[in-house]
Amino acid sequence: LPGHSADYSHATFCIEEEDHTLGNALRWMIMKNPKVEFCGYSMPHPSEYKINLRIQMYDNHSSLEALQQALSQLDDLAAAIEEKYTASLEAEQWEQGEDK
């Protein structure tokens, strides 16, 4: 979005067709990066299906690189969860409740 610094050390990104599910997870992953000074997101309006993600970096590091790294890490995390879940199902390690 407009208003970013020339070196992209401070920028706001608009991510279409996403909501709090990705926004909160992405904010959490980005804030784990020690080069990140601030990260926050907002939904401009409940009827608009998009989020605005603000990233501010220390020492002129690239917020775009931080965003790309966090997306990759979230993808890896989701793959690890899916792998463990699938292994659990295949090993029949679950409990089944009864309706009363």
Side-chain angles (χ1 to χ4, degrees), residues 13-29:
F13 302 92
C14 180
I15 303 174
E16 298 282 340
E17 298 185 23
E18 292 297 341
D19 59 10
H20 294 290
T21 303
L22 180 68
N24 195 35
L26 197 51
R27 184 202 57 79
W28 172 76
M29 192 61 77

Side-chain angles (χ1 to χ4, degrees), residues 35-47:
K35 298 175 186 174
V36 174
E37 178 181 5
F38 171 82
C39 180
Y41 79 94
S42 65
M43 290 187 68
H45 190 274
S47 67

Side-chain angles (χ1 to χ4, degrees), residues 83-94:
E83 180 181 317
K84 294 283 187 180
Y85 178 72
T86 302
S88 173
L89 288 177
E90 290 172 354
E92 297 183 4
Q93 297 175 344
W94 68 80

Side-chain angles (χ1 to χ4, degrees), residues 1 19 28 31 33 35 48-49 64 86 91 97-98:
L1 293 175
D19 59 10
W28 172 76
M31 284 304 298
N33 184 336
K35 298 175 186 174
E48 293 183 74
Y49 197 49
L64 182 57
T86 302
E98 292 182 24

Side-chain angles (χ1 to χ4, degrees), residues 46-80:
S47 67
E48 293 183 74
Y49 197 49
K50 65 182 178 182
I51 59 173
N52 292 333
L53 182 72
R54 175 74 177 172
I55 305 173
Q56 294 175 201
M57 306 293 290
Y58 289 117
D59 302 325
N60 298 326
H61 291 286
S62 172
S63 60
L64 182 57
E65 287 179 16
L67 175 58
Q68 290 171 332
Q69 180 183 13
L71 287 168
S72 176
Q73 290 170 331
L74 276 178
D75 191 42
D76 293 344
L77 179 62

